[in-house]
Amino acid sequence: MNRVVHPIERESFRRLRARLDTSHFPPLTRAVVERVVHSAADLEYASDLVMGEGELAKAHAALHAGAPVVVDVEMVAAGITRRPTVCRLRDAVAGDGLTRSAHAVRLAYEEVGPGALWVIGCAPTALEELLTLDASPALVIGLPVGFVGAAESKAALRESGLPAVSNVSEKGGSAVAAAALNALLYHPISPEENL
C-alpha cells in the first residue's frame, strides 16, 4: 500500500520513539505498539498490550490478501480509512439477553463467515459474543473500553487461544482498535521500514 506520510505524523513518531524505545519489539508488534501509543498519546500501552508476532504475521497476510474486516461500531470504521469494513450495528436489535452490539456480531458473522479480521473497540458484549461463535478469525483486535466487562472480556479473549491483539487494563476504545488494524494495513508487505 502506497501511503504518503504527512510531516506532522512523521514528527509525532520521531518524538514517540525519543520517549519510548520500541526497537526490541519484532516488526509487526512494534508497528501495532507504536500506532496504538500514537493514537492515544499513552506510553503505557507499550506494556499493556498483548499479542504474538506469529499471529500478527498471519493476520497481516490475510488482510493483504483481502480478508474482510469487521468492526463493532462506526467509530472504529471511521478510523480505518483505507479499507472497507463491515459493521452491522445499525441493523441489530437488543433482546432476550442479547445487546445490540452482540446481535451485530452475529449478523456480521452471517455475512462474512470465517477468516475475517474482527476489530472491537467499544463494546465488551460484542467481544463476548464473538467468543461464543465458531468464527475462526484471522485475528481479533479486542480493545473494548470501560469499567464493566472490558478487562474481563479481553482476558477471556486471551484465554480462548484465538489469534488476538488485546490489552490487560480497562482502557481501549475505537481509536486504539482502529490504530491496531491500521498498523497491519500500513505495514509493508516487503521488509522495508514504514511508519
Side-chain angles (χ1 to χ4, degrees), residues 36-109:
V36 168
V37 167
H38 177 260
S39 73
D42 185 345
L43 301 175
E44 290 179 7
Y45 272 111
S47 59
D48 191 41
L49 287 164
V50 179
M51 67 197 97
E53 184 73 8
E55 292 175 344
L56 292 178
K58 289 177 184 173
H60 181 262
L63 180 64
H64 288 276
V69 176
V70 181
V71 299
D72 63 332
V73 293
E74 293 292 340
M75 289 284 291
V76 175
I80 302 169
T81 58
R82 297 186 180 269
R83 184 68 182 269
T85 62
V86 173
C87 181
R88 296 296 304 273
L89 190 60
R90 290 181 188 205
D91 305 317
V93 293
D96 296 328
L98 197 67
T99 66
R100 269 184 73 219
S101 295
H103 186 229
V105 165
R106 286 186 187 181
L107 293 174
Y109 179 65

Side-chain angles (χ1 to χ4, degrees), residues 93-163:
V93 293
D96 296 328
L98 197 67
T99 66
R100 269 184 73 219
S101 295
H103 186 229
V105 165
R106 286 186 187 181
L107 293 174
Y109 179 65
E110 289 171 6
E111 181 177 335
V112 302
L117 286 89
W118 293 78
V119 188
I120 298 174
C122 182
T125 58
L127 183 53
E128 292 164 0
E129 184 62 24
L130 179 59
L131 295 177
T132 69
L133 302 175
D134 187 22
S136 300
L139 184 70
V140 179
I141 296 174
L143 295 168
V145 63
F147 295 112
V148 179
E152 295 84 357
S153 66
K154 292 180 272 194
L157 172 60
R158 290 189 300 278
E159 291 167 11
S160 75
L162 293 175

